[in-house]
Amino acid sequence: MRLQHVESDEDLIDLKSFSEWIASIGDGTIGGLNDSNVVIDISDDLLSNASDDPIASIVNNMYPNFTSNVNENEYLQGRAILALTLDVVETVNECSGVSNHELKLKVGTLVMLLRNIDHSVGLCNGTRLVITRTGNHILEAKILTGSNAGHKILIPRMTLTPI
């Protein structure tokens, strides 16, 4: 994820430290090589207190008062839940009967682009959007992040073929 705009130098230092820590985990310099079973020490300030339902606890910590803030750009811009595997995504989304390869979007859905589509309008990897209208062959979305935040864009249906 790109570093987001922060308001103080202290926040920038904390964010840079956090991003370096995350990168170290990904590089295998912390916790060793990831063979799907790695132990990593996490500082207490990064942990949330889990209740009986840890997934609900994560969602509620990340998106408090979601229903009353779902239409607020500022509320959605700085929040994301990152998942390492499709199994975790399925658990967090509480999907029922939707295949992992099938993406069903509806108005109000938050999405993050994983491909560069059009740099000139800010549609690149990591851009966050909220779906505002759906059609048979096109999506309308409002950009939530970057210099084009607030602009509405149209994305045509695309066929993505794995390499």
Side-chain angles (χ1 to χ4, degrees), residues 2 28 33 43 75 85 96 102 104-105 115 147 152 157:
R2 296 179 210 133
L33 291 177
S43 66
Y75 176 80
T85 65
S96 57
E102 185 176 359
K104 292 186 177 183
L105 299 174
R115 299 254 199 271
S147 59
K152 286 192 175 179
R157 179 177 290 206

Side-chain angles (χ1 to χ4, degrees), residues 15-28:
L15 192 56
K16 186 169 180 124
S17 173
F18 177 73
S19 66
E20 289 170 355
W21 178 71
I22 291 290
S24 296
I25 292 170
D27 293 340

Side-chain angles (χ1 to χ4, degrees), residues 89-91 93-104:
V89 170
E90 193 169 302
T91 303
N93 288 339
E94 297 172 355
C95 290
S96 57
V98 178
S99 303
N100 286 327
H101 66 277
E102 185 176 359
L103 180 62
K104 292 186 177 183

